[in-house]
Amino acid sequence: MVGRSEESRQAILHSTLTLLGVGESEGTTIQRLTVEAIAKHAGVSKATIYRWWGTKAAVVIDAFASEYVRHTPVRDDLPFEEALREHVLSVVRQYAGPDGRLVAQLVAESQYDSAALQEFHDRFWTARRTAAITLVRRGMDEGVVRSDVDAGMLANLVYAPVYLRLLLHDGELTDDFAALVAELALAGIRVR
Amino acid sequence: MVGRSEESRQAILHSTLTLLGVGESEGTTIQRLTVEAIAKHAGVSKATIYRWWGTKAAVVIDAFASEYVRHTPVRDDLPFEEALREHVLSVVRQYAGPDGRLVAQLVAESQYDSAALQEFHDRFWTARRTAAITLVRRGMDEGVVRSDVDAGMLANLVYAPVYLRLLLHDGELTDDFAALVAELALAGIRVR
Amino acid sequence: MVGRSEESRQAILHSTLTLLGVGESEGTTIQRLTVEAIAKHAGVSKATIYRWWGTKAAVVIDAFASEYVRHTPVRDDLPFEEALREHVLSVVRQYAGPDGRLVAQLVAESQYDSAALQEFHDRFWTARRTAAITLVRRGMDEGVVRSDVDAGMLANLVYAPVYLRLLLHDGELTDDFAALVAELALAGIRVR
Amino acid sequence: MVGRSEESRQAILHSTLTLLGVGESEGTTIQRLTVEAIAKHAGVSKATIYRWWGTKAAVVIDAFASEYVRHTPVRDDLPFEEALREHVLSVVRQYAGPDGRLVAQLVAESQYDSAALQEFHDRFWTARRTAAITLVRRGMDEGVVRSDVDAGMLANLVYAPVYLRLLLHDGELTDDFAALVAELALAGIRVR
DNA sequence: CGATAAACGAGACGGTACGTCTGGTCTTGTG
DNA sequence: CACAAGACCAGACGTACCGTCTCGTTTATCG
């Protein structure tokens, strides 16, 4: 057995990101991106892409995940509420840039492609939420956060408004917005 | 001038809904729906569709808006908190059915088509939010809801988790979920 | 109803002949000729070609037939035997050039594509043979040719060696060859 | 040095014949037959095939020649004319079956592949013709056949109509046809 | 008898063309 | 003069083979 070419794999993923203009503010959308263009840019045969991924969305998710999941870490050294504010801020800032546009498009693809949805869950959503859930649990342990509700549900209170604004283009993703989201979430989950 | 044929307009919008299987749980997605199929089913020329709408998404939005925006009214006769719970429940219930799938797809289209986004805002999102905002304002007047934050922002606290679950397929849209969302939103916006 | 574009039809057939290098001694073979190349050269969509022809071979036959069936007439003014020699000579001379190569390739296509075979029969073979059969009948009427055998069979005696040499590249198609073929055919069909 | 694997060679040639359905009336055509299919069926690597043959046509010719050239012998014990009739009959009968279809396809391949043409000449055509030429020479020696014309040319008078019918599907290859061909050829080559 | 070099199977790879599909435009004739 | 009918160009789709090219792995002489 010989196995797949790591070189081609890298070239494909890298070309995908380049064409999507991740990092820059230029670039196409996932929809307009063609498998043919990826193949050409990567110096690779279309068949090679279809052999390993099968779907344009799969390539994009793989490419995005493999290099661009920025860590928006939760800080242990800060007090609970401050750590949460910090976290929300870092998430909002990431999504304010080109990464946000791409995530929005991945969610769009997920509406039509259940495999893409699955991948999106596994590679992005779960990872992201885990950070918040951990934090919420810490708040529970410290007795600051109500513990009669599922931690995941509480974590969503943080992300939901961010994703809403991202997907519905319902306002800018500013630092002020981040602060407000954090404040309201805290109000909703705090023990009274 | 002869003016556009109302008959054709109706046939096109109706065919669009039929093919999308709105109402039933069958039907294609917006992506798989083709303009050619609409034209054929409506007994209409493709040119006629393009003359008046210009985009597949525009047709779908028009069709969906013209017949399927269910009223999820806000009740004046109930106490504030109860009215909110009621409203959230009605929204969740609508999105749990086939309408939800279609709304999700419209959001997906909006990621690629800014005209569709605009239409979505004007025909669905604003209308929906207005209901919640009115309600929140009532709460403010009654002194139950904090009035130091934009009412729109507070209203979003209600919708955000619903849309998140709808778009990310992050759990079922059940009555229990609606109750929980209402409760957490209330906790977040209540005057303390 | 609007009907097909004569302009496209002409462009397609003409491009086909150009690419095959009919007339010149250059040019591809039918096998190497691609539908994509025809489309590009003709400034036409591939779909248009497939709409009307369905097969590469069909396009080639149509193109070749519509412009390149040279008349290799049978002369009435010459004595029977001389007319036959003349006819064989004109056929051999045509097949010695680029037309011969193309006819050979059409026969090749016919081994795999029964529709092409049918077309070849109808557009080339029958037309060609009719000339010879008419002549043979004249010979029968004049009492020079044996009439106890099917005229078509006798006509084939003229063409068979020519096609054999064309298809098996079993020697050059020279004037001398033509004379010899005519002579042997006459020997075979003459009344004794 | 180790040398090529006779086992593989046999497997490849045998698989080729099997897939082409020689013997049976089933089977693909040479065109539809793929090297990949041969390799898979023979349990052999594609590279092995290309190492030794270089061309699909070469494999087919080799396979066909190595096992399926039926002897259509010329009988010395019969009078000249009878021997000729016998020979034509045996050729026609062979070509009436599945072998004929395959020979026709080999001729087709030869229009595009000059190496295949060369092979076809060497392995089939020459062998076949030699039989007839020998016979014609015998006729010349006996003074029955005109000797002012090249013996090969006269031999072709026998084969040409058979190949014409085979390649142009211009009628069935029946015993009656064989008799007629023999008769006309004799008429053409007899001393008068 | 153990080294060595060929031939091998497996199958990934870059290419190229296939025939299909849809989008969006344009043309012609009818009501 | 808006319409249906539908042909048209453009170009991406996903598939199929091509012929080349690694890879380890036999396998059969030869040192």
Side-chain angles (χ1 to χ4, degrees):
Chain A
M1 244 266 282
V2 177
R4 83 192 272 185
S5 153
E6 185 57 22
E7 198 178 354
S8 292
R9 206 189 91 95
Q10 293 295 342
I12 290 164
L13 297 179
H14 186 262
S15 295
T16 302
L17 293 174
T18 303
L19 292 169
L20 283 173
V22 182
E24 304 104 72
S25 57
E26 286 297 288
T28 1
T29 61
I30 296 180
Q31 200 166 74
R32 269 194 279 274
L33 177 68
T34 67
V35 174
E36 235 145 26
I38 298 174
K40 181 169 242 174
H41 189 277
V44 142
S45 167
K46 259 201 301 179
T48 300
I49 297 180
Y50 283 111
R51 179 160 22 240
W52 299 111
W53 285 280
T55 286
K56 183 172 62 179
V59 182
V60 173
I61 288 176
D62 208 356
F64 190 55
S66 72
E67 305 194 20
Y68 275 86
V69 168
R70 302 253 173 68
H71 301 292
T72 43
V74 178
R75 300 185 49 181
D76 288 339
D77 54 334
L78 295 176
F80 167 71
E81 300 211 343
E82 202 144 335
L84 189 87
R85 286 193 200 94
E86 197 71 32
H87 179 64
V88 174
L89 186 60
S90 71
V91 169
V92 165
R93 281 183 175 162
Q94 185 187 6
Y95 282 176
D99 283 20
R101 215 190 53 220
L102 201 46
V103 168
Q105 288 170 21
L106 285 176
V107 173
E109 294 301 311
S110 299
Q111 304 310 313
Y112 297 114
D113 176 349
S114 66
L117 174 61
Q118 190 60 49
E119 281 286 306
F120 181 80
H121 259 273
D122 297 350
R123 312 275 298 261
F124 296 93
W125 181 239
T126 301
R128 180 118 289 169
R129 249 168 55 109
T130 301
I133 289 176
T134 306
L135 188 56
V136 167
R137 289 244 168 78
R138 196 185 117 200
M140 287 175 170
D141 291 346
E142 293 177 6
V144 210
V145 174
R146 55 193 293 187
S147 47
D148 59 336
V149 177
D150 177 48
M153 191 70 211
L154 296 182
N156 278 6
L157 267 194
V158 176
Y159 293 127
V162 178
Y163 271 84
L164 192 71
R165 195 160 267 215
L166 176 67
L167 290 163
L168 267 50
H169 295 72
D170 195 38
E172 300 268 306
L173 288 165
T174 62
D175 286 5
D176 282 355
F177 172 70
L180 194 48
V181 166
E183 155 119 32
L184 289 172
L186 281 170
I189 71 180
R190 244 194 300 254
V191 170
R192 29 202 66 232
Chain B
M1 241 264 280
V2 175
R4 89 193 267 185
S5 151
E6 184 57 20
E7 197 178 356
S8 292
R9 206 187 93 93
Q10 292 297 341
I12 290 164
L13 297 180
H14 187 261
S15 295
T16 302
L17 292 174
T18 303
L19 291 170
L20 283 173
V22 182
E24 303 104 74
S25 55
E26 286 298 288
T28 359
T29 61
I30 297 180
Q31 200 165 75
R32 270 194 279 273
L33 176 68
T34 68
V35 176
E36 231 143 27
I38 298 174
K40 181 168 230 174
H41 189 276
V44 144
S45 166
K46 265 204 293 180
T48 303
I49 297 179
Y50 281 111
R51 177 153 32 231
W52 301 110
W53 285 278
T55 286
K56 182 173 63 179
V59 182
V60 173
I61 289 175
D62 209 356
F64 190 54
S66 72
E67 306 195 20
Y68 273 86
V69 168
R70 303 256 173 70
H71 301 291
T72 43
V74 177
R75 300 182 51 178
D76 289 340
D77 53 335
L78 295 177
F80 166 72
E81 301 210 344
E82 202 144 336
L84 190 86
R85 287 192 200 95
E86 197 72 32
H87 179 63
V88 175
L89 187 60
S90 71
V91 169
V92 165
R93 280 182 175 163
Q94 185 186 6
Y95 284 176
D99 284 18
R101 216 189 54 220
L102 201 46
V103 168
Q105 289 171 19
L106 285 175
V107 173
E109 294 302 308
S110 298
Q111 305 309 313
Y112 297 115
D113 176 348
S114 66
L117 174 61
Q118 191 59 49
E119 283 285 307
F120 180 79
H121 259 274
D122 297 351
R123 310 279 293 265
F124 295 93
W125 181 239
T126 302
R128 177 119 291 167
R129 250 168 52 109
T130 301
I133 290 177
T134 306
L135 188 56
V136 167
R137 290 243 168 78
R138 195 184 118 202
M140 286 174 170
D141 292 347
E142 293 177 7
V144 210
V145 173
R146 55 193 293 185
S147 49
D148 59 336
V149 178
D150 176 48
M153 191 70 210
L154 296 182
N156 278 5
L157 266 195
V158 176
Y159 293 126
V162 178
Y163 271 83
L164 193 71
R165 196 159 267 216
L166 175 68
L167 290 164
L168 267 50
H169 295 73
D170 195 39
E172 299 268 305
L173 289 165
T174 61
D175 286 5
D176 282 355
F177 172 71
L180 194 48
V181 166
E183 153 124 29
L184 288 172
L186 282 170
I189 69 180
R190 245 194 299 255
V191 171
R192 31 203 61 234
Chain C
M1 241 265 283
V2 177
R4 83 192 272 185
S5 152
E6 184 57 23
E7 199 178 356
S8 292
R9 205 186 94 94
Q10 293 296 341
I12 290 164
L13 297 180
H14 187 262
S15 295
T16 301
L17 293 174
T18 302
L19 291 169
L20 283 173
V22 182
E24 304 104 72
S25 57
E26 287 296 288
T28 1
T29 60
I30 296 180
Q31 200 166 75
R32 270 195 278 273
L33 177 68
T34 68
V35 175
E36 235 146 27
I38 298 174
K40 180 168 243 175
H41 189 276
V44 142
S45 169
K46 263 201 296 178
T48 301
I49 297 180
Y50 283 111
R51 178 161 21 241
W52 299 112
W53 285 278
T55 287
K56 183 172 63 181
V59 182
V60 173
I61 288 176
D62 209 356
F64 191 54
S66 71
E67 304 194 22
Y68 273 86
V69 169
R70 303 253 173 70
H71 300 292
T72 42
V74 178
R75 300 182 52 178
D76 289 340
D77 54 335
L78 295 178
F80 167 72
E81 300 210 344
E82 201 145 335
L84 188 88
R85 286 192 201 95
E86 196 73 33
H87 178 65
V88 174
L89 186 60
S90 70
V91 169
V92 165
R93 280 181 173 162
Q94 184 187 6
Y95 283 176
D99 283 18
R101 217 190 51 222
L102 201 46
V103 167
Q105 289 171 19
L106 285 176
V107 173
E109 294 303 309
S110 299
Q111 304 310 313
Y112 297 115
D113 176 349
S114 66
L117 173 62
Q118 191 59 50
E119 282 285 306
F120 181 80
H121 259 274
D122 297 350
R123 312 275 297 261
F124 295 93
W125 181 239
T126 302
R128 179 117 292 166
R129 248 168 55 109
T130 302
I133 290 177
T134 307
L135 187 56
V136 167
R137 291 244 168 78
R138 195 184 119 202
M140 286 175 171
D141 291 347
E142 294 177 7
V144 209
V145 174
R146 55 194 290 186
S147 47
D148 58 336
V149 177
D150 175 49
M153 191 71 212
L154 296 183
N156 277 6
L157 266 195
V158 175
Y159 293 127
V162 177
Y163 271 84
L164 192 72
R165 194 160 266 215
L166 175 69
L167 290 164
L168 267 50
H169 296 71
D170 195 41
E172 301 267 306
L173 289 164
T174 60
D175 286 5
D176 282 353
F177 173 71
L180 194 48
V181 167
E183 154 120 30
L184 288 173
L186 282 170
I189 70 181
R190 243 192 301 254
V191 170
R192 27 205 64 236
Chain D
M1 236 265 281
V2 177
R4 88 193 270 186
S5 153
E6 183 58 21
E7 199 179 354
S8 292
R9 205 187 94 94
Q10 292 297 340
I12 290 164
L13 297 180
H14 187 261
S15 294
T16 302
L17 292 175
T18 303
L19 291 169
L20 283 173
V22 183
E24 304 102 75
S25 55
E26 286 296 288
T28 359
T29 60
I30 296 180
Q31 199 165 75
R32 271 194 279 272
L33 177 67
T34 69
V35 175
E36 234 144 27
I38 298 174
K40 183 167 229 174
H41 190 275
V44 143
S45 168
K46 264 203 294 179
T48 302
I49 297 179
Y50 282 111
R51 177 155 29 234
W52 300 111
W53 286 277
T55 288
K56 183 173 62 180
V59 181
V60 173
I61 289 176
D62 209 356
F64 189 54
S66 73
E67 305 195 20
Y68 273 85
V69 169
R70 303 256 174 69
H71 302 291
T72 43
V74 177
R75 302 183 50 180
D76 289 339
D77 54 334
L78 295 178
F80 166 72
E81 301 210 343
E82 201 145 336
L84 189 88
R85 285 192 200 94
E86 197 71 31
H87 179 63
V88 174
L89 186 61
S90 71
V91 169
V92 165
R93 280 182 174 162
Q94 185 186 7
Y95 283 176
D99 284 18
R101 216 190 53 218
L102 201 47
V103 167
Q105 289 172 18
L106 285 175
V107 172
E109 294 302 308
S110 298
Q111 305 309 312
Y112 296 115
D113 177 348
S114 66
L117 175 61
Q118 190 61 49
E119 282 286 307
F120 180 79
H121 259 274
D122 296 352
R123 311 277 294 264
F124 295 93
W125 181 237
T126 302
R128 178 120 292 166
R129 247 168 55 110
T130 302
I133 290 177
T134 306
L135 188 56
V136 167
R137 289 245 169 77
R138 197 186 116 200
M140 287 175 170
D141 291 346
E142 294 177 6
V144 209
V145 173
R146 56 193 291 184
S147 47
D148 57 337
V149 177
D150 176 49
M153 191 69 212
L154 296 183
N156 278 6
L157 266 195
V158 176
Y159 294 126
V162 177
Y163 271 84
L164 192 72
R165 195 160 268 215
L166 175 67
L167 290 163
L168 268 51
H169 295 73
D170 194 40
E172 300 267 304
L173 289 165
T174 60
D175 286 3
D176 282 353
F177 171 71
L180 194 47
V181 166
E183 153 125 29
L184 289 172
L186 283 170
I189 70 181
R190 245 194 299 253
V191 170
R192 29 205 62 233

